[in-house]
Amino acid sequence: MTTLITGASSGLGAEMARQFATLGHDLALCARRTDRLEELRAEILAAHPGRRIELAALDVTDDAAVFTVFDDLAERLGGIDRVIVNAGSGSGAALGTGKQHANRRTAMTNFVGALSQTEAALELFRAQGHGHLVMISSVSALRGMRKAMTTYAATKAGVAALAEGVRSENIRGVDVSVIYPGYIRSEMNDHVEQKTKLMVDTETGVKAMVSAIEKRAHKAYVPTWPWLPVSMALKVLPLSVVRRMV
């Protein structure tokens, strides 16, 4: 199995790379920070000398670069079996407060960038006749969120809709999974005080993500406890209650 992961230089992406390497996967790792990728490759190869790991610098908001990098990595590795659309931004602010630049950056990275990655991945998969597309969404995608979370949640809802649309197309040989992580500690949220008992450490949270991905689940709320029941509640509770929960 050859797995391509975007946003692999830190956080959930880096930990997925470690765990997939443990499972025997060869890896194609992309991120803007190639120095971090080099460090990650050295760490993984020290633990798993037999793995093949190819790296590429990639800003997912550069549409042309996404296609070029995916094609190049596929050529170097003799094909890509799985693409994990993971690169994302968590910056944002309440709308109308003069921070439009932060919200736009999040929208361009999380949704427009995801769209480009999906297009590039599906071109590869259609040509190969097989592939597994994995879209990393968020439990926050299930409802509209307030203040700094508004744009982020909207982009993650868009990512989930993209995944469902592709799955509905029923492309021969292509599996599609959308993963909804709950509160998992990562570099993106390191600045947030850990006030909630629902937050899990990166390794534990990613282990649940990897398990769902390996099962090729159509959708998964991870970790299952408590996020499966929480997700069911979020879908039906009044907005006045939701705003106090997340």
Side-chain angles (χ1 to χ4, degrees), residues 88-93 99 101-107 109-110 148-149 151-152 188 191:
S89 171
S91 62
K99 302 289 180 62
H101 63 282
N103 291 321
R104 187 179 187 281
R105 181 167 61 248
T106 292
T109 302
N110 294 5
M149 288 291 291
T151 300
Y152 178 83
M188 187 183 293
H191 64 287

Side-chain angles (χ1 to χ4, degrees), residues 45 54 121 135 143-144 150 154 162 178 197 201 227:
L45 289 178
E54 296 290 342
M135 310 284 279
R143 296 294 295 272
T150 300
L162 278 177
V178 57
K197 295 180 180 179
D201 64 273
W227 293 105

Side-chain angles (χ1 to χ4, degrees), residues 12 16 84-90 106 110-111 114 134-146 148-163 177-186 188-189 199 209 218-223 227-228 230-232 234-235 242 246:
L12 305 185
M16 279 192 283
I84 302 179
V85 178
N86 170 72
S89 171
T106 292
N110 294 5
F111 183 73
V134 181
M135 310 284 279
I136 305 301
S137 181
S138 167
V139 168
S140 68
L142 300 178
R143 296 294 295 272
M145 297 291 155
R146 63 194 179 100
M149 288 291 291
T150 300
T151 300
Y152 178 83
T155 64
K156 291 302 186 178
V159 164
L162 278 177
S177 300
V178 57
I179 308 299
Y180 298 86
Y183 295 149
I184 299 174
R185 176 62 60 188
S186 71
M188 187 183 293
N189 58 33
M199 182 81 78
M209 294 173 66
H218 287 169
K219 63 173 63 176
Y221 303 96
V222 294
W227 293 105
L228 180 57
V230 168
S231 69
M232 296 171 66
L234 283 174
K235 293 175 183 178
V242 171
V246 290

Side-chain angles (χ1 to χ4, degrees), residues 40 45 55 57 59 62 86 107 115 145 149 154 180 182 210:
L40 178 61
L45 289 178
L55 310 179
D59 180 344
D62 183 339
N86 170 72
L115 177 60
M145 297 291 155
M149 288 291 291
Y180 298 86
V210 167

Side-chain angles (χ1 to χ4, degrees), residues 51 65 67 70-71 77 104 108 114 120 124 127 134 140 195 207 213 220-222 234 236 240:
R51 296 285 73 78
F67 287 85
F70 278 31
D71 287 344
L77 289 165
R104 187 179 187 281
M108 294 299 294
L124 288 174
V134 181
S140 68
K195 297 178 180 179
K207 185 177 181 179
I213 292 168
Y221 303 96
V222 294
L234 283 174
V236 299
S240 58

